[in-house]
Amino acid sequence: MNIVVIGTGYVGLVSGTCFSEMGNKVTCVDIDTTKIENLNKGIIPIYEPGLEPMVVKNTTNKNLFFTTNLASALQNAEVVFIAVGTPMGDDGSADLQYVLAVAKSIGQAITKKMVIVDKSTVPIGTADKVTATIQKELDKRDLKVEFEVVSNPEFLKEGAAINDFMKPDRVVIGAESDYAIEKMKQLYAPFSMSHERFIVMDVRSAEMTKYAANAMLATKISFMNEIANICEKVGADANQVRIGIGSDSRIGYNFIYPGCGYGGSCFPKDVKALKKIASEYDYHAKLITSVEEVNDAQKLVIAHKIIKRFGEDLHGKTFGIWGLAFKPGTDDMREAPAIYIVKELVKRGAKIQAYDPKAMQEAQEFYLKDVNQVIYVDSKYQALQQADAMILLTEWKEFRSPDFEEIKKLLNNPVIFDGRNQYNMFNLADKGFEYYQIGRAER
């Protein structure tokens, strides 16, 4: 099938590449000339395990193409995916300017029947706006072309996106016509052989499904963090409580790990957007609002533990940080707890020595570029040299089973603040450490 994917960000690039892997002819379109030039050279703008070799392989095999020329790309297209960004506006709503700009460009260029797919995470009712925008441009051209706008939300986890796309839990399609549904079935057949995983619904329900899914997962995280905070007060251990409730099949273990809060490009943005959508329909989403409030506070729990231990004035103190990305397997630092913790410590006079396997460039160039008291180092142990404490904020594999004797030698004080509860099974108190974690009072 001939496919066009508009937008070569995280969702667009992964989707286009995976479609090409199944033998489709995929053209990815972007207005960023430099990005397209780099992609044609095999230079990938994001870090995602397995993505780069798949891009190189399919460009070599002539299944995957990159261009800035949308009109040319649309000439033979059967299905067109809109996968541009929907950044969060000042009021928490999803900004549709890029989606609607693409819709306008499609309306100015299409000449044949096609299915147009909203792949970006968009507010309920966006398909109607995209349809109206395309039709307006066709009317200006005095041209009658059949098209249908379909909703096909993505459910990709950063760090596991290739596997998620190639072996999906479900494929959700919001469509009105048999033609569009059949076209999407044909496209996704190689990925989802089970009929139960191909779920068809109306367009607005599909648009809502993405927000509901992310809000549910964010709710589980905030719920467990709230329980963890209560555990600290009453003398319980949140890690043991997690095992106790996770064994209930109705609850399960996924997304109930105590920690320093969720971040990334999806959960924070989608929770805010869903809250905004509800308010536009005169509904106050109390639970969703609380989920966000708990998470905002949770990002500073580790910072508060450090301040309690070392005092409000942190001048002369140095902290070694392991992990900057919001989760392992990605270089994404959007809304990462590390941003808030580093800034909270630095404004009190602390110096930071930071190491992350993938996210340090992001930190230096974007998220912490204006924070002067941060030094970026080449290894996890270098970050601990002459530091007053170690802080774990991202659970990368290389951090999971470190040499604690080496850590003790490097630190000025044998103190560890564990924002991901990775080391609670190591009996660090017996090894001579002060060990601070989420959901358990210091002992």
Side-chain angles (χ1 to χ4, degrees), residues 106-142:
I106 292 172
Q108 293 170 343
I110 60 171
T111 57
K112 58 190 281 292
K113 184 176 182 178
M114 63 181 61
V115 175
I116 296 153
V117 186
D118 279 335
K119 195 70 173 169
S120 305
T121 300
V122 293
I124 293 83
T126 298
D128 295 337
K129 294 179 180 179
V130 170
T131 299
T133 301
I134 295 172
Q135 189 59 55
K136 183 179 179 180
E137 296 304 315
L138 287 173
D139 291 343
K140 288 179 182 178
R141 296 165 63 197
D142 195 24

Side-chain angles (χ1 to χ4, degrees), residues 254-411:
N254 290 333
F255 290 87
I256 61 166
Y257 289 83
C260 49
Y262 61 76
S265 63
C266 293
F267 289 4
K269 179 168 70 75
D270 292 353
V271 167
K272 283 184 182 295
L274 184 56
K275 199 173 69 165
K276 176 64 175 175
I277 290 166
S279 72
E280 289 173 351
Y281 288 85
D282 297 320
Y283 181 79
H284 176 52
K286 296 178 183 178
L287 178 59
I288 302 302
T289 299
S290 296
V291 167
E292 183 181 46
E293 290 173 351
V294 169
N295 191 64
D296 288 345
Q298 197 67 23
K299 290 180 178 180
L300 291 175
V301 166
I302 282 291
H304 293 157
K305 288 177 180 286
I306 294 166
I307 293 164
K308 183 179 178 181
R309 167 63 175 78
F310 289 98
E312 288 282 346
D313 184 358
L314 297 177
H315 286 89
K317 300 297 181 184
T318 300
F319 298 99
I321 288 183
W322 285 10
L324 296 169
F326 87 94
K327 64 180 283 187
T330 180
D331 60 355
D332 195 344
M333 279 191 65
R334 284 173 285 187
E335 296 294 324
I339 299 170
Y340 300 89
I341 293 167
V342 167
K343 289 182 177 180
E344 192 70 17
L345 299 180
V346 167
K347 79 178 184 182
R348 286 173 165 78
K351 293 182 179 179
I352 304 295
Q353 296 171 172
Y355 170 73
D356 186 285
K358 296 295 178 182
M360 289 195 292
Q361 184 175 348
E362 289 289 300
Q364 289 174 282
E365 295 182 0
F366 299 105
Y367 299 100
L368 296 173
K369 67 178 181 179
D370 297 323
V371 182
N372 296 321
Q373 299 295 325
V374 182
I375 298 171
Y376 301 93
V377 299
D378 296 328
S379 73
K380 61 189 180 198
Y381 293 120
Q382 188 180 349
L384 304 183
Q385 291 178 359
Q386 300 300 305
D388 293 287
M390 168 188 154
I391 308 168
L392 176 75
L393 297 179
T394 314
E395 61 275 34
W396 287 95
K397 287 181 180 178
E398 68 173 275
F399 300 158
R400 290 184 183 176
S401 186
D403 184 338
F404 289 107
E405 288 303 314
E406 182 67 16
I407 291 173
K408 190 185 293 186
K409 289 177 186 176
L410 292 170
L411 291 173

Side-chain angles (χ1 to χ4, degrees), residues 66-204:
F66 299 99
T67 183
T68 58
N69 192 330
L70 175 60
S72 175
L74 289 176
Q75 286 182 2
N76 297 313
E78 299 169 68
V79 180
V80 179
F81 285 85
I82 300 176
V84 294
T86 53
M88 186 168 59
D90 293 336
D91 61 354
S93 63
D95 187 344
L96 291 178
Q97 64 171 310
Y98 303 115
V99 170
L100 296 180
V102 167
K104 183 177 181 179
S105 297
I106 292 172
Q108 293 170 343
I110 60 171
T111 57
K112 58 190 281 292
K113 184 176 182 178
M114 63 181 61
V115 175
I116 296 153
V117 186
D118 279 335
K119 195 70 173 169
S120 305
T121 300
V122 293
I124 293 83
T126 298
D128 295 337
K129 294 179 180 179
V130 170
T131 299
T133 301
I134 295 172
Q135 189 59 55
K136 183 179 179 180
E137 296 304 315
L138 287 173
D139 291 343
K140 288 179 182 178
R141 296 165 63 197
D142 195 24
L143 190 65
K144 289 186 178 181
V145 176
E146 284 187 70
F147 70 94
E148 182 175 343
V149 178
V150 169
S151 175
N152 173 215
E154 55 86 14
F155 301 100
L156 306 177
K157 299 187 296 291
E158 292 192 46
I162 298 296
N163 188 65
D164 285 348
F165 200 102
M166 301 299 285
K167 299 176 182 178
D169 291 329
R170 77 284 206 199
V171 174
V172 173
I173 302 296
E176 305 300 335
S177 74
D178 291 339
Y179 174 81
I181 292 168
E182 188 58 35
K183 206 71 174 173
M184 298 304 288
K185 276 185 179 178
Q186 292 172 13
L187 180 57
Y188 276 106
F191 302 93
S192 181
M193 304 304 290
S194 170
H195 293 294
E196 296 173 357
R197 295 186 179 183
F198 189 86
I199 304 168
V200 179
M201 58 185 71
D202 65 88
V203 174
R204 287 187 171 231

